[in-house]
Amino acid sequence: MNDNDLVKLAFDAKEKSYSPYSQFQVGAALLAKNGDVYTGCNIESASYSPTNCAERTAFFKAVSEGVTDFAVIAVVGGQKGAEVGLCYPCGVCRQVMAEFCDSDFKIIMADAKGEKHVCTLDDILPYRFGPSDLQGGHS
Ligand code: THU
């Protein structure tokens, strides 16, 4: 599973987006260290706050199946009908990444033209609070 394969799966997942309120469609494909891939889309709610982002859908699917070690996530998103530009994970999703992922966890943002921005968890959420903080120290 290379980066382009994962981006393709994220685009496929975006097609499943349930986003009647924002019309903003997001897809994610999460590669676990065991080689399995979990996809997710954003799922909105008429009462708005239960909305779940595509990235968290993918993480929660994996964790609920007993998989908790992750290597890479690809994220794509954009307004329905418009060309997809780079879509960065929201702060809540970054915090979920911090729960399960190491500093070098790779995050791929891709657009419709095939351009990619690749970064790590350390890049997008430095100085984060995480599991080790509850064990008495920041690592
Ligand atoms: N959204 C995601 O799925 N992932 C993100 O990282 C950013 C935002 C979704 C949530 C909501 O359904 C829509 O995009 C607009 O915020």
Side-chain angles (χ1 to χ4, degrees), residues 99-117:
E99 187 65 32
F100 296 104
C101 303
D102 298 328
S103 300
D104 63 352
F105 176 69
K106 191 160 110 175
I107 301 148
I108 305 167
M109 279 65 58
D111 69 15
K113 296 191 176 77
E115 295 297 318
K116 289 196 283 288
H117 181 191

Side-chain angles (χ1 to χ4, degrees), residues 22 24 26 42 44 51 53-55 88-90:
S22 72
F24 194 85
V26 187
N42 56 327
E44 299 185 344
T51 291
C53 290
E55 299 92 318
Y88 287 85
C90 80

